[in-house]
Amino acid sequence: MQANISEIFYSAQGEGKYIGAAQVFIRLSGCPFDCPYCDTDTQAKEYFTVNGNNYNNPVSVDDLVDIIIREFGDGSNFHSYSITGGEPLMEYEFVKNLALKLKERSKAKLFLETSGLITKHFKELDNIFHIMSIDIKTHSEQVLNHLSSLCESVCELKETDYYFKLLLPYGNAYYIIDYTAKILSKYNIKNIIIQPVDSIISKEILDYLYNTYYINGIEARIIPQTHKILSIP
């Protein structure tokens, strides 16, 4: 079992509920989705770099865990491994086995960053990953229509600490706020983290956002993408 890795690096989590936490980011190559605001290179490369050392792609789970432990230690000095992409659940079996192996050999927590557009494996990953950061994608009507099935899958999680992120664009912000508040409320989801595109939001949209979500019983928090502000990976 092998997969292509884009990069592995040590940094601070820049988004969401665990903002500022020290993490080792394990970025898998590849993504089937074409999000217009994506700024991540997901193309497979001949090798990936860790702390200035090059390793060949594709790589097996066992070899990758050996590399991670050799380069970053046993996880005593950081919060978690962020397994991200691209879309890591494209390589579901690889990701699952990687998480289980890291759990055996490391003290750090396991953190999955996923687009929320591949949900069929969520239940099986419950209690393997400590944390799931799940994006609500908004770039098309077809994608937005997937939100109900995403919520259904998330409601099956019993052990994993999960949270939703939403990258709020400029153009149809009011519609997205109304639509997501309605669906999240239907499934009794109580929290959402909003990331305005380019960390910019008007006072009118800000007021409308808080009013709409809170009336629907949802605590909304606006948190910009701080890694861009701090100019860190």
Side-chain angles (χ1 to χ4, degrees), residues 111-125:
F111 184 104
L112 178 67
E113 297 194 60
T114 176
S115 67
L117 294 174
I118 299 176
T119 59
K120 61 183 178 180
H121 303 300
F122 275 17
K123 190 173 183 179
E124 190 174 347
L125 293 175

Side-chain angles (χ1 to χ4, degrees), residues 10 16 23 57 105 117-118 130-131 133 149 196 198 201 208 211 214 229:
Y10 178 76
Q23 292 187 325
N57 273 317
R105 296 184 58 185
L117 294 174
I118 299 176
H130 299 92
I131 304 157
S133 172
S149 61
D198 296 331
I201 188 169
Y208 187 83
N211 185 61
Y214 275 86
I229 298 170

Side-chain angles (χ1 to χ4, degrees), residues 6 27-33 38 40-45 85-87:
S6 175
R27 188 180 301 283
L28 277 73
S29 302
C31 184
F33 311 113
C38 182
T40 302
D41 181 5
T42 63
Q43 297 300 310
K45 305 291 194 304
E87 174 44 69

Side-chain angles (χ1 to χ4, degrees), residues 136 147 166 174-189 192 208-209 211-218:
I136 296 177
L147 182 56
L166 188 157
Y174 292 102
Y175 170 73
I176 288 171
I177 292 165
D178 287 338
Y179 181 82
T180 54
K182 177 182 175 182
I183 301 298
L184 295 177
S185 176
K186 177 182 175 182
Y187 289 93
N188 201 32
I189 292 170
I192 188 170
Y208 187 83
L209 182 153
N211 185 61
T212 303
Y213 282 121
Y214 275 86
I215 283 176
N216 281 278
I218 302 163

